[in-house]
C-alpha cells in the first residue's frame, strides 16, 4: 500500500468522533491491506513500530523532527518553532510547511508503507556515535517525498503521538468485522446463535442485523482470547489475513511472549469475600511490582504489568529464574524490596527505585528484591491457564520450592471470615498491603477483572503526622555488611502507664546510619542481657535484651493491628508501627517519658477518622 493511501485513512479516522465510524474506516483499511503490509499497518495504528512488548522508542525528539522539516522545506528553525508554539502539534506544522515548500524536492518518490516503516525502524534502532545525523537523514528522506498529509503522520509517529485515538479494542472489532462471512459459515456458531435468538424471541425484521451482531461478538471473543495470551495484534492480524479464522489455531502460549495479566476485583470486608467465594485461598498482598517471568532454557524474559520488557533491570531475578529446575515456564509474582537482616519489607517508594536504566547493579545491592510467586501459566509444553487455581498453585509450589530470592506468596485456605481477618491483620502488621482472596476453581482469566481474585486493602492516608518515641528493649546482631557493627536492628516498645511496663511495638532496621550502629552497639552492649528484663513485654525474641533505658524517635507510615506486637494488646491483637524508621536518639527523655499506650491508641483512633481509600 502507498503511504499516501494510509495517510488518507488516518486523516478520515482523525476527523471522526464516532467510534462506530472509526471501526468501519479501520475495517476498510485492514481489508485493503495486503498480507505483507497488515502487520506494519496495525502497529502504526497503535502508534507503535512493533508489538506491545517490543521496545521501539525512536530516540527522536521534537528538535530533531523540526530539523528534518527545516532541512526539507527550506524554512528556518525559528519559523518552524514559532508555528509549533501556535499549533502545539508538530504533525500539523510538518503538514503546513510541506504544502508551501520553498525548495523543490530532489529525488522525490512515491512512499510505500514499507518504506516509511523501514526508515522509522532504522531510526529507532540506530545508536552510538553519528547516529543523530543518520536519524536526521532518514527522517528527511521521508519528508522529502511526502505530501502535506503524509508529513503530518510521518512527523507524529516517532514522537509516539499519532493522535488518532485508536485503542486496541477498536482494532479487535475491526478485525472481527472483516471475518463476518467466514463467521456465518461456522455451523456450530450459527446453530448456537439461532437458538439464542429464538429464545429471546427476536423479531423477523431485526433478525438479520441481530444475527450478524452476535456472530461478530463471537468472532471478536475468539480473536481477543488469542490476543490475551499473545500481546501482538500485528501478528494476529497477519495470521487472520493469511488463513482466516483457522490462523488463530496457530497462536499459542509461548515463552517470551507476554500474557495479559488477570486483574483483581475489590470488596470491602472479609464477610463479603467469603459470601462471594466460599472456601478460598487467601494470600498476602505485597506492595511491589508485578512481574511476569518467562524461561526457556537459559533464556529469561521479565515483563511488567503493561507487558514492557524489564529483563535488563533485574539481573538478580534473572539469575534466580535461570536456576529454577523447569526448562520452560511462565509464572507471575510480585517483586518487593526486602531487608534480609531485619526481615522487613520495604515501602513501595524504595522498591520502585529498582525500576531504572542506569546504576542497576548498585541498586540491586542496596535494595535486593524478593519475588513472591503467585500464579503459573505454562510449564514445559503444558498450558496451565485453563486449569483450576488450586492445581496451578500446587504445581507452582513444586516449580518454585523455597529459594532465597523466589518464594511462594504466604497463603491460607479458609471459609471463615474471622480467619481471613486474622490473616489480613498479620499481613498488614508485616508491612504488607492487605490480602488477595482467590477462587480455588477459577481459570487464569487473562486481561480481565473478574471475581477470580478479590482484593482487600488496608486504607490509610500518608504518613503518621506525629513521630513516636519508643524505648529500645532489645537488639539483633548484624548480618552481611552490618556484622562489623554487631548490631543490625532494634526492638522497641512503648510505655504502659497502667502496669509500668514496656510493650513491643516495632522492629526497626531502617534509618540507622553506620555511625548510629556502632555508637548504639557500644552503649547497648553495656546494658544487654540474654534474659528478658522484668518490665519488658514482647513475644519477639531479640538476640540481646536490653534494660529499657534509651528512647529513640521513630517515624512510621501508620499504626496497624498486629498479632505479633504487644502494645495496646486487646482481643488477641496488639498495635504495631508500619514501616518504622529511626530518626534520632532522644537523650533528653527518660524511658517513662516515651510515648504511652494511651497515646498510641489515640493516634490509632485518629488515624481511622482520616482514613481514605488510596487510588489504585
Ligand atoms: P491492585 O493493583 O490494587 O488492583 O491489586 C492487584 C495487584 O496486586 C496485582 O496486579 C499484583 O501486582 C499485586 N499483588 C500483590 N500480591 C499479590 C498476590 N498475592 N496475588 C496477586 N496479586 C498480587
Amino acid at each position: 500500500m502507498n503511504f499516501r493511501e494510509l495517510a488518507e485513512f488516518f486523516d478520515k479516522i482523525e476527523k471522526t468522533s464516532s467510534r462506530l465510524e472509526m471501526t468501519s474506516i479501520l475495517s476498510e483499511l485492514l481489508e485493503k491491506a495486503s498480507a505483507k503490509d497488515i502487520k506494519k499497518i496495525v502497529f502504526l495504528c497503535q502508534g507503535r513500530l512493533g508489538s506491545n512488548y517490543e521496545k521501539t522508542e525512536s530516540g527522536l525528539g521534537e528538535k530533531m523532527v523540526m530539523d528534518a522539516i527545516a532541512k526539507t522545506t527550506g524554512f528556518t528553525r525559528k519559523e518552524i518553532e514559532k508555528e509549533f508554539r501556535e499549533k502545539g502539534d508538530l504533525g500539523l506544522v510538518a503538514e503546513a510547511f510541506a504544502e508551501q515548500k520553498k525548495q523543490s524536492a530532489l529525488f522525490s518518490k512515491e512512499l510505500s508503507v514499507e518504506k516509511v516503516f523501514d526508515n522509522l525502524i532504522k531510526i529507532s534502532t540506530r545508536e552510538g556515535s553519528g547516529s543523530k545525523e543518520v536519524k536526521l537523514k532518514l527522517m528527511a528522506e521521508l519528508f522529502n517525498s511526502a505530501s502535506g498529509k503524509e508529513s503530518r503522520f510521518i512527523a507524529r509517529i516517532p514522537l509516539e503521538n499519532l493522535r488518532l485515538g485508536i485503542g486496541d479494542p477498536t482494532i479487535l472489532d475491526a478485525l472481527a468485522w472483516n471475518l463476518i462471512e467466514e463467521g456465518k459459515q461456522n455451523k456450530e456458531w450459527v446453530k448456537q446463535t439461532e437458538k439464542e435468538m429464538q429464545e429471546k424471541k427476536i423479531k423477523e425484521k431485526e433478525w438479520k442485523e441481530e444475527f450478524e451482531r452476535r456472530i461478530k461478538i463471537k468472532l471478536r471473543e475468539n480473536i481477543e482470547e488469542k490476543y490475551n495470551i499473545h500481546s501482538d495484534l500485528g501478528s494476529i492480524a497477519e495470521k487472520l489475513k493469511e488463513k482466516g479464522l483457522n490462523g488463530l489455531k496457530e497462536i499459542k502460549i509461548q515463552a517470551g511472549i507476554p500474557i495479559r495479566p488477570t486483574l483483581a476485583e475489590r470488596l470491602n470486608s472479609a464477610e463479603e469475600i467469603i459470601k462471594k467465594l466460599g472456601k478460598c485461598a487467601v494470600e498476602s498482598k505485597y506492595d511491589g511490582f508485578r512481574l511476569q517471568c518467562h524461561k526457556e532454557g537459559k533464556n529469561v524474559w521479565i515483563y511488567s504489568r503493561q507487558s514492557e520488557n524489564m529483563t535488563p533491570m533485574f539481573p538478580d531475578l534473572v539469575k534466580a529464574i535461570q536456576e529454577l529446575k523447569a526448562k520452560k515456564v511462565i509464572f507471575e509474582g510480585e517483586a518487593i524490596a526486602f531487608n534480609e537482616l531485619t526481615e522487613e519489607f520495604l515501602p513501595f517508594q524504595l522498591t520502585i527505585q529498582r525500576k531504572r536504566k542506569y546504576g542497576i547493579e548498585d541498586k540491586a545491592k542496596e535494595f535486593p528484591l524478593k519475588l513472591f510467586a503467585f500464579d503459573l501459566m505454562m510449564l514445559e509444553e503444558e498450558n496451565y491457564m485453563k486449569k483450576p487455581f488450586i492445581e496451578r498453585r500446587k504445581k507452582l509450589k513444586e516449580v518454585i520450592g523455597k529459594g532465597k530470592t523466589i518464594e511462594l506468596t504466604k497463603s491460607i485456605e479458609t471459609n471463615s471470615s474471622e480467619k481471613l481477618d486474622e490473616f489480613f491483620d498479620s499481613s498488614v502488621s508485616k508491612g504488607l498491603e492487605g490480602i488477595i482472596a482467590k477462587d480455588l476453581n477459577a481459570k487464569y482469566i487473562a486481561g480481565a477483572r473478574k471475581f477470580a481474585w478479590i482484593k482487600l486493602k488496608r486504607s490509610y492516608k500518608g504518613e503518621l503526622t506525629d513521630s513516636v518515641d519508643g524505648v529500645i528493649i532489645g537488639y539483633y546482631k548484624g548480618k552481611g555488611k552490618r556484622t562489623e557493627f554487631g548490631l543490625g536492628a532494634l526492638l522497641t516498645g512503648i510505655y504502659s502507664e497502667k502496669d509500668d511496663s514496656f510493650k513491643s511495638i516495632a522492629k526497626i532496621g531502617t534509618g540507622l546510619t553506620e555511625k548510629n550502629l556502632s555508637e548504639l552497639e557500644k552503649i547497648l552492649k553495656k546494658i544487654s542481657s540474654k534474659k528478658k528484663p522484668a518490665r519488658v513485654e514482647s513475644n519477639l525474641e531479640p538476640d540481646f535484651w536490653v534494660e529499657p533505658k534509651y528512647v529513640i524517635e521513630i517515624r512510621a507510615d501508620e499504626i496497624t493491628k498486629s498479632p505479633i506486637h504487644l502494645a495496646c494488646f486487646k482481643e488477641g491483637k496488639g498495635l504495631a508501627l508500619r514501616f518504622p524508621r529511626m530518626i534520632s536518639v532522644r537523650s533528653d527523655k527518660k524511658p517513662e517519658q516515651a510515648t504511652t499506650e494511651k497515646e498510641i491508641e489515640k493516634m490509632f483512633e485518629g488515624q481511622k477518622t482520616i482514613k481514605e481509600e488510596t487510588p489504585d
Side-chain angles (χ1 to χ4, degrees):
M1 184 182 281
N2 282 333
F3 193 74
R4 186 182 291 269
E5 202 177 346
L6 181 63
E8 286 299 335
F9 275 107
F10 279 177
D11 181 54
K12 276 198 241 166
I13 291 174
E14 190 172 359
K15 286 196 178 116
T16 180
S17 53
S18 136
R19 177 161 185 275
L20 211 60
E21 201 182 317
M22 183 192 274
T23 316
S24 150
I25 304 168
L26 197 60
S27 86
E28 197 189 328
L29 163 63
L30 298 179
E31 186 63 28
K32 266 202 157 166
S34 66
K36 179 169 90 42
D37 283 339
I38 195 162
K39 193 169 178 175
K40 297 180 173 124
I41 290 176
V42 167
F43 290 155
L44 290 174
C45 287
Q46 290 180 298
R48 306 181 53 86
L49 295 171
S51 65
N52 296 2
Y53 60 91
E54 284 167 308
K55 212 160 148 266
T56 56
E57 284 161 16
S58 70
L60 207 67
E62 286 166 348
K63 288 205 174 102
M64 269 165 87
V65 174
M66 284 196 264
D67 283 341
I69 299 173
K71 196 168 167 172
T72 49
T73 59
F75 287 89
T76 62
R77 261 296 292 273
K78 259 210 163 129
E79 287 170 304
I80 295 167
E81 271 169 27
K82 181 167 172 276
E83 192 76 7
F84 181 35
R85 273 198 299 277
E86 276 164 26
K87 290 199 158 81
D89 167 13
L90 267 183
L92 293 179
V93 175
E95 180 168 14
F97 285 112
E99 279 166 358
Q100 21 161 343
K101 270 183 194 162
K102 284 190 182 168
Q103 57 201 39
S104 63
L106 292 171
F107 314 114
S108 166
K109 276 201 293 217
E110 182 91 57
L111 289 171
S112 64
V113 168
E114 197 174 358
K115 171 73 186 162
V116 174
F117 195 86
D118 287 353
N119 268 31
L120 293 173
I121 286 279
K122 282 184 193 149
I123 289 173
S124 79
T125 48
R126 188 80 193 204
E127 280 174 4
S129 71
S131 63
K132 225 170 145 184
E133 287 70 31
V134 178
K135 284 177 192 257
L136 189 64
K137 196 167 144 254
L138 288 161
M139 200 64 192
E141 191 190 351
L142 295 180
F143 279 140
N144 198 33
S145 299
S147 67
K149 217 172 263 174
E150 287 171 281
S151 298
R152 187 199 315 164
F153 297 106
I154 290 171
R156 286 178 185 169
I157 300 165
L159 298 175
E160 287 161 37
N161 192 357
L162 203 54
R163 295 172 187 255
L164 297 189
I166 307 174
D168 291 357
T170 314
I171 301 177
L172 287 167
D173 278 341
L175 289 170
W177 287 20
N178 288 347
L179 289 169
I180 184 72
E181 288 315 316
E182 204 185 330
K184 287 199 275 188
Q185 308 293 320
N186 183 315
K187 289 197 185 103
E188 200 184 314
W189 290 1
V190 170
K191 214 168 115 194
Q192 226 179 44
T193 309
E194 284 178 346
K195 189 166 165 249
E196 284 162 17
M197 286 169 61
Q198 271 153 8
E199 279 166 13
K200 284 253 175 252
K201 299 198 170 54
I202 303 292
K203 290 189 196 106
E204 179 89 35
K205 67 176 198 305
E206 289 160 13
W207 187 270
K208 189 166 172 279
E209 201 178 316
E210 181 60 18
F211 179 74
E212 287 209 350
R213 194 183 70 81
R214 287 174 182 248
I215 294 287
K216 276 183 187 167
I217 292 176
K218 287 208 158 40
L219 284 161
R220 157 76 197 246
E221 279 171 358
N222 272 264
I223 303 171
E224 189 166 7
E225 193 181 321
K226 293 296 179 179
Y227 176 47
N228 285 340
I229 59 161
H230 191 107
S231 307
D232 178 350
L233 270 182
S235 301
I236 291 176
E238 194 175 59
K239 280 271 182 275
L240 291 173
K241 183 65 103 188
E242 285 167 355
K243 305 195 172 160
L245 272 179
N246 270 331
L248 288 183
K249 292 193 191 127
E250 292 176 16
I251 295 171
K252 299 206 166 91
I253 178 170
Q254 198 179 319
I257 299 186
I259 295 161
R260 297 178 71 210
T262 200
L263 304 171
E265 284 284 355
R266 173 204 305 267
L267 285 176
N268 291 323
S269 69
E271 290 78 24
E272 283 176 73
I273 292 179
I274 295 296
K275 203 165 143 214
K276 185 93 196 168
L277 296 181
K279 184 169 179 198
C280 55
V282 184
E283 298 182 14
S284 294
K285 186 173 191 304
Y286 302 80
D287 192 11
F289 32 81
R290 180 173 187 163
L291 296 176
Q292 195 177 97
C293 309
H294 295 231
K295 175 186 187 215
E296 185 169 9
K298 282 277 160 224
N299 293 325
V300 166
W301 301 260
I302 300 180
Y303 293 105
S304 73
R305 185 175 168 145
Q306 277 82 26
S307 303
E308 298 157 81
N309 190 339
M310 324 270 286
T311 320
M313 286 184 199
F314 306 122
D316 42 348
L317 299 184
V318 170
K319 187 161 170 281
I321 297 167
Q322 275 167 341
E323 283 165 5
L324 293 176
K325 284 208 186 78
K327 281 200 195 79
K328 230 190 220 184
V329 63
I330 304 179
F331 70 96
E332 258 186 327
E334 188 87 355
I336 181 165
F338 184 74
N339 185 338
E340 288 286 350
L341 168 72
T342 57
E343 290 171 9
E344 284 175 304
F345 292 103
L346 300 186
F348 186 69
Q349 302 87 287
L350 296 182
T351 301
I352 196 76
Q353 291 193 29
R354 287 295 309 271
K355 277 198 182 172
R356 55 176 50 238
K357 281 192 183 151
Y358 308 102
I360 289 172
E361 294 288 345
D362 286 347
K363 275 286 168 216
K365 277 196 198 116
E366 190 178 351
F367 298 123
L369 292 176
K370 239 192 208 301
L371 179 61
F372 288 91
F374 55 70
D375 220 319
L376 177 73
M377 287 89 128
M378 188 184 80
L379 182 61
E380 307 312 350
E381 296 310 323
E382 215 172 337
N383 181 346
Y384 269 74
M385 290 173 63
K386 295 218 160 105
K387 298 185 192 277
F389 173 73
I390 190 162
E391 219 175 289
R392 300 201 302 276
R393 171 95 189 177
K394 201 168 139 217
K395 206 73 195 169
L396 184 67
K397 193 170 171 190
E398 283 173 34
V399 175
I400 303 295
K402 187 174 179 335
K404 191 164 169 288
T405 309
I406 312 178
E407 61 180 85
L408 284 192
T409 48
K410 283 255 161 329
S411 147
I412 57 164
E413 262 175 45
T414 185
N415 57 5
S416 134
S417 57
E418 290 80 34
K419 284 256 158 55
L420 195 153
D421 260 336
E422 229 168 71
F423 189 74
F424 178 90
D425 286 341
S426 95
S427 296
V428 169
S429 70
K430 284 186 203 131
L432 300 174
E433 222 189 349
I435 57 99
I436 299 207
K438 298 184 176 177
D439 182 340
L440 293 171
N441 298 310
K443 323 187 251 198
Y444 186 94
I445 304 166
R449 198 181 286 281
K450 297 271 168 67
F451 279 94
W453 288 9
I454 307 175
K455 61 186 170 187
L456 182 64
K457 290 210 268 191
R458 130 200 89 76
S459 47
Y460 68 100
K461 190 172 181 238
E463 222 178 59
L464 270 188
T465 38
D466 268 352
S467 59
V468 170
D469 291 327
V471 183
I472 303 176
I473 54 176
Y475 66 97
Y476 296 81
K477 281 190 283 215
K479 284 190 207 155
K481 195 166 166 276
R482 289 190 176 185
T483 359
E484 54 189 282
F485 309 111
L487 187 152
L490 300 171
L491 183 65
T492 57
I494 48 158
Y495 182 60
S496 165
E497 283 170 315
K498 201 169 75 209
D499 39 31
D500 184 32
S501 67
F502 298 91
K503 298 180 176 171
S504 82
I505 191 161
K507 182 173 167 187
I508 310 176
T510 316
L512 303 165
T513 64
E514 292 184 359
K515 196 162 160 258
N516 289 151
L517 288 171
S518 53
E519 280 174 10
L520 273 172
E521 202 268 337
K522 271 187 215 127
I523 54 172
L524 293 179
K525 209 172 162 186
K526 290 185 195 146
I527 52 167
S528 73
S529 76
K530 282 275 172 196
K531 198 172 149 279
K532 185 158 68 72
R535 288 200 299 160
V536 166
E537 288 183 27
S538 163
N539 282 343
L540 288 178
E541 286 257 350
D543 293 329
F544 300 99
W545 295 103
V546 294
E547 206 48 54
K549 184 167 177 190
Y550 295 105
V551 178
I552 59 170
E553 186 185 1
I554 308 165
R555 276 207 171 278
D557 275 13
E558 65 176 328
I559 300 170
T560 56
K561 282 205 176 164
S562 157
I564 303 168
H565 288 287
L566 295 182
C568 312
F569 199 78
K570 236 193 272 169
E571 292 159 9
K573 275 174 210 148
L575 293 179
L577 299 180
R578 186 169 186 266
F579 295 141
R581 316 175 274 282
M582 171 169 148
I583 305 296
S584 61
V585 178
R586 296 290 311 258
S587 43
D588 55 327
K589 282 202 166 180
K590 283 201 207 126
E592 288 79 11
Q593 289 169 331
T595 305
T596 62
E597 263 191 318
K598 249 196 194 145
E599 284 172 299
I600 289 287
E601 211 150 276
K602 236 182 167 171
M603 283 165 85
F604 180 65
E605 289 305 317
Q607 199 179 261
K608 275 189 191 159
T609 59
I610 54 162
K611 267 185 188 180
E612 251 176 33
E613 186 56 50
T614 43
D616 282 345

